[in-house]
Amino acid sequence: MPIYQLHPNILQFPSPNEAEPSGLLAVGGDLSSDRILMAYQQGIFPWYEEGQPLLWWSPDPRMVLFPNQLKISKSMRTVLRKKQFEVTFNKAFDRVVEACAKVKRFGQNGTWITPGLMEVYLILHTQGHAHSVEVWEEGSLVGGLYGIDLGTVFCGESMFSKSSNASKVALIYLVKELKKNKYELIDCQVPTQHLASMGAEPISRTEFL
C-alpha cells in the first residue's frame, strides 16, 4: 500500500487505522501549528530525522501512562525526600526543547527535533498548547520534559537529563500536576524501558483513539 502523501496547503490526514504495520501513516505536508495540533488531536505525531521527508506516525500498540499507575521506586522516593532538585513549569520552555534536541539517542544519527519542529513547538507554547517541566540543581537546568496539552491528554514529546534521576523527577511532578487537574493519560507514543519502569504500558491504537 502506498504511503499517503499530504498536500502542503490542505489540513487533512488519513485515518490512523490506515497506517503501515510500522505505524507510518503519511509523508509531506507542512509544520504549521494548526497542522501539528490537528495531528495530535487525531492520534498522529511527526517523527523524522534531519535529511528525511516529513513523516507522520500513529503506531499500534501505543505506549501510554495512566497517572494513577505511575510507579515510584524506593530509591526515587529517597531522591524526592532529599529535595536536591527544584521543579518549575513553563519557566524555560525553549531551553528544555533545545536540551532535548541535543540528547544523543541510540540508533539515531541525528535528532528528530529539527529546527522546524523547535520553531512550531515554541509557537504552540505561546498559544498555550505546549508546556514544559524544568528540573534545576543549584540554579542549573539539569533535566526536564515538554509536550502538547490536549485538555485531558498530555502528549509527552521528549525529556532530557544531565543529572541522575532528573528526568524521572520531571515526570513525577508532571503526573502530580495532571492528576490534580483530572487528566486521563500521558501519551508516550513509543515504548522505552525508562517509561515502562515507571508504569507506562502499551494499549491498542483503537483503545487509544
Side-chain angles (χ1 to χ4, degrees), residues 101 132 165:
S132 61
N165 297 313

Side-chain angles (χ1 to χ4, degrees), residues 32-38 40-41 90 93 120-132 146-157 183:
S32 68
S33 59
D34 287 343
R35 186 186 294 276
I36 293 286
L37 193 58
M38 176 183 289
Y40 283 103
Q41 289 169 342
N90 295 315
F93 182 89
V120 73
Y121 287 136
L122 287 170
I123 292 172
L124 288 167
H125 176 62
T126 62
Q127 294 174 342
H129 300 302
H131 302 295
S132 61
Y146 76 96
I148 306 298
D149 184 359
L150 299 182
T152 59
V153 172
F154 187 86
C155 302
E157 279 304 297
Y183 278 62

Side-chain angles (χ1 to χ4, degrees), residues 42-90:
Q42 296 181 27
I44 302 164
F45 59 88
W47 188 24
Y48 65 106
E49 295 180 19
E50 280 192 272
Q52 290 182 331
L54 180 50
L55 304 175
W56 302 87
W57 302 77
S58 186
D60 186 16
R62 188 80 163 222
M63 197 72 167
V64 302
L65 174 59
F66 295 99
N68 288 331
Q69 295 181 14
L70 176 69
K71 295 179 181 177
I72 305 176
S73 66
K74 289 183 179 179
S75 60
M76 272 308 303
R77 293 184 189 277
T78 300
V79 170
L80 294 170
R81 282 197 298 270
K82 288 181 178 178
K83 297 186 176 180
Q84 73 183 86
F85 299 113
E86 178 188 357
V87 180
T88 58
F89 294 88
N90 295 315

Side-chain angles (χ1 to χ4, degrees), residues 3-6 24 26-31 45-57 111-112 114 117:
I3 299 297
Y4 192 91
Q5 179 75 43
L6 299 179
L24 180 60
V27 61
D30 66 339
L31 288 175
F45 59 88
W47 188 24
Y48 65 106
E49 295 180 19
E50 280 192 272
Q52 290 182 331
L54 180 50
L55 304 175
W56 302 87
W57 302 77
T111 176
W112 66 270
T114 63
L117 277 174

